[in-house]
Amino acid sequence: MTTIPVIVKHQGKRYAVDLDPTSTGEIFKYQLYSLTGVEPERQKILVKGGQLKDDTDLVSLKAKPGQTFMMMGTPATEDGSVTIERPKDKIVFLEDMTAAEAAKIDGALPAGLQNLGNTCYLNSTLQTLRSIPELQAQLAKYPTPSAESSTGGVNLSQFGLGGMSSSMDLTASLRDLYKQMSETQEGFPPLVFLAALRELFPQFAQRSRTGQGYAQQDAEEAWSQIVSQLRQKLNIKESIADSPGAVTQHSLGISFIDRYLAGRFETVTECDDQSAREAGEETVQGEDVFLKLDCHINKDTNYLRDGILAGLEEKIEKTSPVLGREAVYTKKSRIARLPKYLTVHFVRFFWKREAQKKAKIMRKVTFPPELDVVEFCTENLRSQLVPVRDKVREIRKDEEDVIRARKRQKTAHKHEEDRQAELKAQGRTDTTDPDKDHKGEKKVDGDTEMTDGTYKTDAQYEAERSTSIMAAKKELFAMINPELAKDDGANKSGVYELRGIVTHQGASADSGHYTSYVKKQGILDPKTGKRKEEDGKWWWFNDDKVSEVEAEKIETLSGGGESHSALILLYRAIDLPTAEDIVTE
């Protein structure tokens, strides 16, 4: 059989090699040893499905003329040892790091916030908002005068008072606070931000009824006021070409909140009085911006979905121009734009007149870790979301089926290996090919398992899996509506995953205690710049105390008593492939 001319790439060089199909992998490695100086035992030659083994028959590679193979490995030194290069970056041990350096390590314990006297409502709100990485990135670009120019040359940031330089600007104070929190793992006092909040919104400076200290406040009100202020102040600037070759930063007048946290309703308002409709009063169509969805709770509300549906329909009393008197109207809302981050508010507090305080609805209302909101949308938006949502579900099911089948295949292969070993120990032989299953298909737990193929190694399995995932990503990306694809601050599937929770413990809004839960991110891979798979755990922020909790803890926050119950949920749109993902992978 004639040799086949192939190319072997190694450390940036290309080697022309004649591959003999009648020989083995070991002979091929010795050929490469003569060219590269890398000993055969130190070579890793990548072939389809894994690495080339010494006893592999080269004919099984089905190599074609000009085919390229990748080889990895370095030659040993004269004494057989491996050459170890000095690290390019100096190694720094944790005990030698400053507090700021240690806090910036990926996965490090995040900073808590000190309770400055009934300020748990604020601490829980700030920690949950901080879980939005796009918000932190945009705040870092927010401009303010320097600390020195505003304070007579004294830099107050070294005292944790950097926000003073922003003249009590709430947005700048938030920027400085988050920066300071990123540089410590201790409980940080949000003094400047609290002062700015109370100056801008005096309601948060209300004293307690006893006259000692400040009163407890509603975390939802703090959340709404902070988000409202950010909507006015925090705008997005993007690079736009003024002319060919000239690119400058222009403020597009787009609020960060409007892009990432605000949705849009399409509304229909109609008079309930039949006589008004008969007299010709028409329904009124309109649009409203929303920053959160309300989950209304009554005696029949058991699930988040029920409460959201109830909140999308409301009764309004106003003057009918046709009847010339007060009449009741029904206003129905449907979502026409979904933001990337969706805030859901459990309306648990109401004014109890006889007690003269905000009482709490204790009813248990469960909420899902993944929320599908397609049914709350307009027909037009629904038509854009459903194909993507359904494709995501299909891909997930296929992935789960493959994983289950792989587990069963490995188990069956292990049993076969054990059987062959037992036969060998008994001096018996078996003509059955252990890498083949001649039984065809079989039923396992109601699933049909295909077992008529050759057993695949982990490397072969991962290679095929990567190829399959990439193909699915391309198919899914192609299904995203072009108009939605242009809106990087919108949800393009209608499906959200839970990322943050503000909880309340107690019987009224004016008392009790607030905490927050934030889902841990996966560790950042320095090579790819992407985050690895999450471990499913959460950070629990209880003022300055921060601890790690299991996902099962979140299931206990549905209410049903005075214990911690969810008040605010922060959902994020599930990740979908982007154009960059398709190109880079």
Side-chain angles (χ1 to χ4, degrees), residues 37-57:
V38 180
E39 294 81 357
E41 65 271 18
R42 298 181 56 78
Q43 295 178 19
K44 290 184 179 179
I45 303 170
L46 304 183
V47 297
K48 186 176 181 180
Q51 297 180 25
L52 180 66
K53 297 181 180 179
D54 290 349
D55 58 354
T56 299
D57 293 326

Side-chain angles (χ1 to χ4, degrees), residues 376-558:
F376 310 137
C377 300
T378 62
E379 288 293 336
N380 180 52
L381 181 56
R382 198 180 305 175
S383 66
Q384 298 173 12
L385 299 174
V386 167
V388 179
R389 180 200 64 182
D390 291 350
K391 186 62 180 177
V392 168
R393 290 176 175 174
E394 178 186 327
I395 292 173
R396 288 177 176 178
K397 184 180 183 303
D398 290 346
E399 179 70 9
E400 290 171 358
D401 290 345
V402 168
I403 292 173
R404 283 199 300 267
R406 174 61 177 169
K407 288 180 179 178
R408 291 195 293 264
Q409 188 188 46
K410 292 185 77 170
T411 300
H413 184 70
K414 179 66 168 59
H415 290 163
E416 179 62 24
E417 285 184 330
D418 292 343
R419 189 178 72 86
Q420 292 288 345
E422 184 178 349
L423 289 173
K424 186 175 181 181
Q426 296 173 356
R428 299 162 58 191
T429 59
D430 186 3
T431 57
T432 304
D433 185 348
D435 284 338
K436 294 281 187 179
D437 188 337
H438 302 282
K439 297 180 182 179
E441 301 180 358
K442 60 182 179 180
K443 292 283 185 178
V444 180
D445 298 332
D447 295 330
T448 299
E449 180 186 5
M450 301 301 295
T451 58
D452 58 348
T454 302
Y455 174 76
K456 296 180 177 62
T457 64
D458 287 342
Q460 290 172 321
Y461 168 74
E462 286 300 327
E464 291 185 6
R465 180 172 175 269
S466 297
T467 302
S468 176
I469 290 174
M470 189 60 205
K473 279 186 175 182
K474 289 181 178 179
E475 188 176 355
L476 181 58
F477 177 73
M479 300 182 77
I480 298 175
N481 181 274
E483 290 302 315
L484 278 180
K486 296 177 184 177
D487 188 351
D488 63 353
N491 183 325
K492 302 168 181 63
S493 69
V495 182
Y496 289 92
E497 59 173 332
L498 187 61
R499 302 303 302 184
I501 309 171
V502 176
T503 67
H504 178 265
Q505 179 185 35
S508 73
D510 302 328
S511 62
H513 183 57
Y514 291 93
T515 67
S516 63
Y517 294 80
V518 171
K519 193 169 188 181
K520 289 180 62 181
Q521 291 184 304
I523 301 298
L524 188 67
D525 188 334
K527 294 182 180 179
T528 64
K530 296 182 178 180
R531 293 195 175 274
K532 298 181 180 179
E533 187 175 351
E534 298 177 344
D535 61 10
K537 296 182 179 180
W538 292 66
W539 292 120
W540 181 26
F541 296 95
N542 186 2
D543 288 331
D544 57 339
K545 300 179 181 66
V546 182
S547 56
E548 187 181 81
V549 298
E550 300 292 337
E552 290 74 18
K553 176 65 177 178
I554 306 304
E555 299 173 5
T556 69
L557 305 176
S558 299

Side-chain angles (χ1 to χ4, degrees), residues 83-104:
T83 303
I84 301 178
E85 297 181 357
R86 181 184 295 274
K88 295 181 180 179
D89 298 324
K90 182 180 178 181
I91 298 176
V92 181
F93 295 96
L94 184 62
E95 55 267 27
D96 298 326
M97 292 182 177
T98 64
E101 290 172 336
K104 291 182 181 296

Side-chain angles (χ1 to χ4, degrees), residues 293-298 300-313 333-335 342 344-348 363-377 382 389 393 494 558 569 571:
L293 293 181
D294 286 329
C295 174
H296 289 271
I297 303 173
N298 57 39
D300 298 319
T301 308
N302 296 311
Y303 305 101
L304 179 65
R305 171 190 174 277
D306 303 334
I308 292 177
L309 275 176
L312 293 177
E313 185 172 315
S333 302
R334 284 293 178 266
I335 300 173
L342 179 68
V344 180
H345 169 223
F346 287 97
V347 186
R348 288 194 175 275
R363 187 175 182 81
K364 180 178 180 179
V365 180
T366 59
F367 52 90
E370 188 170 275
L371 179 65
D372 182 351
V373 298
V374 170
E375 66 173 307
F376 310 137
C377 300
R382 198 180 305 175
R389 180 200 64 182
R393 290 176 175 174
S558 299
L569 304 177
Y571 282 96

